[in-house]
Amino acid sequence: MSAVRTPSGDRLGRLLNLVPYLLARPGILISEAAADLGVTDKQLREDLELLWVCGLPGYGPGDLIDMAIDGDHVTISHDAGMDKPLRLNPDEALALVVALRMLAETPGIGTRDAIERALAKIESAAGDLADAPVAVRLPANQKKLAAVRAAVDSGHALRLTYYTAARDETTDRVIDPMRMLMVGGFNYLEAWCRRAEATRMFRIDRIDGFTELDEPSAPPVEAIPHDVTGGVFRPGPELPLVTLRVGRGGRWITEYYPVEEVVKDSTEWLVTMRVTDLGWAQRFLTGQGRDVTVIGPPELLDRIRAQAATALDQYAAPTGLGADPVAGR
């Protein structure tokens, strides 16, 4: 079973709101709280274990947060002063207003109504920020995004020149567009790729060029849209499994990438994760230094050894350079 790790900043925000949330719901089922907070039961129990050691300076009896966990129910018995939800300060509110205004103006956003409702609520609570003279400028690829959208709206097939980062290669392919969407802050064109004979997601900023064809876009019946609720990358058993041993400086990998399993000890963690391509894994892992050791698969180890040997050969001194420059004059 794969597990999606969230960045530590997300966990901090969840912890800061967890105490007032639980205070308002004494005896709540852990499974119900986890569903409300968008985490698994296991993640919430780990958060609760961390709260045991959080509190006020002094960190003695009466300073730390205390709670009672009765089977599958949890009740906060001492809040250590964290009894109110977080309030946005003016800078934070302004940052949210700017971000939401940008999203509201971005083509291809399917949740515009929800964005506008959230924006109205924040602007109402922020007072003068509602009329803040903020100039919102969309990313540099906005013209490309608009051009791709116009081509998709025309209902025609497209010929793309596309850069695939996982394999570090540029390819030409003909696609039948299906929809445009935004996931994780990036704009994507989802289409049936005739070259791969499968549904593919193309990041707009990686489209080097495209041509609108005369023929209509005609995705076959097997062209099923991806479920992107958990992100674009959905690791499955068909993908290569990579095993790593990571030190303290490499543990961030488990927070930013989906991993299959993490076995922890006091010094190093044993991590297994799925990757789309061993070439990507090779480029990524060779840049991690001593904090990450590759255990498998053997093919990946062979690739990294060959790359390291080639790099060392570049440092080998050519014949004759080791001679004394003074001798023989």
Side-chain angles (χ1 to χ4, degrees):
M1 173 187 280
S2 62
V4 177
R5 299 282 174 167
T6 57
S8 56
D10 292 348
R11 189 183 190 192
L12 176 59
R14 189 169 67 247
L15 287 171
L16 290 173
N17 285 288
L18 186 54
V19 175
Y21 169 88
L22 294 176
L23 282 172
R25 301 163 180 82
I28 189 173
L29 280 169
I30 290 178
S31 58
E32 181 181 343
D36 285 348
L37 296 169
V39 297
T40 64
D41 289 13
K42 181 176 182 294
Q43 285 174 314
L44 182 55
R45 288 182 181 274
E46 290 177 351
D47 289 345
L48 293 174
E49 290 176 2
L50 182 56
L51 282 177
W52 282 109
V53 295
C54 296
L56 300 172
Y59 309 111
D63 298 323
L64 299 178
I65 295 170
D66 200 5
M67 71 192 77
I69 300 178
D70 182 12
D72 293 330
H73 299 261
V74 58
T75 300
I76 296 292
S77 55
H78 179 61
D79 57 44
M82 295 178 59
D83 56 343
K84 295 181 180 179
L86 290 176
R87 299 287 182 181
L88 296 175
N89 63 37
D91 289 341
E92 293 168 336
L94 179 59
L96 275 179
V97 167
V98 171
L100 288 171
R101 286 180 182 174
M102 179 176 288
L103 279 178
E105 296 300 322
T106 301
I109 300 298
T111 56
R112 187 179 301 276
D113 290 343
I115 293 171
E116 290 178 348
R117 288 196 301 270
L119 181 57
K121 184 175 181 180
I122 293 174
E123 287 181 336
S124 175
D128 294 339
L129 287 177
D131 299 320
V134 178
V136 176
R137 295 183 179 179
L138 295 171
N141 69 336
Q142 181 63 20
K143 290 184 178 179
K144 183 191 297 184
L145 175 63
V148 173
R149 170 163 287 280
V152 172
D153 290 343
S154 73
H156 291 166
L158 303 178
R159 184 181 300 277
L160 294 185
T161 301
Y162 187 74
Y163 171 69
T164 304
R167 295 188 296 274
D168 191 26
E169 66 178 9
T170 300
T171 56
D172 292 320
R173 57 186 80 202
V174 175
I175 64 169
D176 296 285
M178 296 164 56
R179 61 173 177 166
M180 295 187 66
L181 64 164
M182 176 178 279
V183 184
F186 294 101
N187 292 287
Y188 289 87
L189 166 60
E190 186 171 30
W192 175 262
C193 177
R194 300 182 188 179
R195 181 175 181 265
E197 296 185 342
T199 304
R200 291 288 185 265
M201 301 276 288
F202 300 98
R203 254 177 59 173
I204 299 300
D205 59 329
R206 291 178 179 169
I207 297 176
D208 291 336
F210 70 92
T211 302
E212 185 177 339
L213 304 180
D214 292 333
E215 58 184 293
S217 173
V221 293
E222 59 266 33
I224 301 175
H226 289 85
D227 178 7
V228 296
T229 53
V232 173
F233 179 58
R234 303 299 294 271
E238 74 282 359
L239 297 178
L241 185 65
V242 173
T243 303
L244 312 171
R245 184 179 293 115
V246 302
R248 186 176 300 276
R251 294 177 184 176
W252 64 271
I253 292 175
T254 63
E255 298 180 356
Y256 285 89
Y257 294 94
V259 296
E260 294 273 312
E261 184 181 15
V262 179
V263 179
K264 303 178 181 180
D265 61 28
S266 58
T267 56
E268 293 182 318
W269 292 0
L270 190 66
V271 177
T272 54
M273 59 189 295
R274 299 281 177 182
V275 297
T276 55
D277 184 82
L278 289 181
W280 175 88
Q282 175 187 345
R283 293 190 298 275
F284 172 69
L285 294 171
T286 50
Q288 300 310 311
R290 296 181 179 180
D291 283 317
V292 178
T293 302
V294 179
I295 307 300
E299 180 184 349
L300 179 58
L301 284 168
D302 291 342
R303 287 178 176 225
I304 292 176
R305 290 192 185 103
Q307 181 179 359
T310 301
L312 289 173
D313 287 343
Q314 300 300 316
Y315 288 95
T319 305
L321 288 185
D324 185 346
V326 179
R329 281 189 177 180

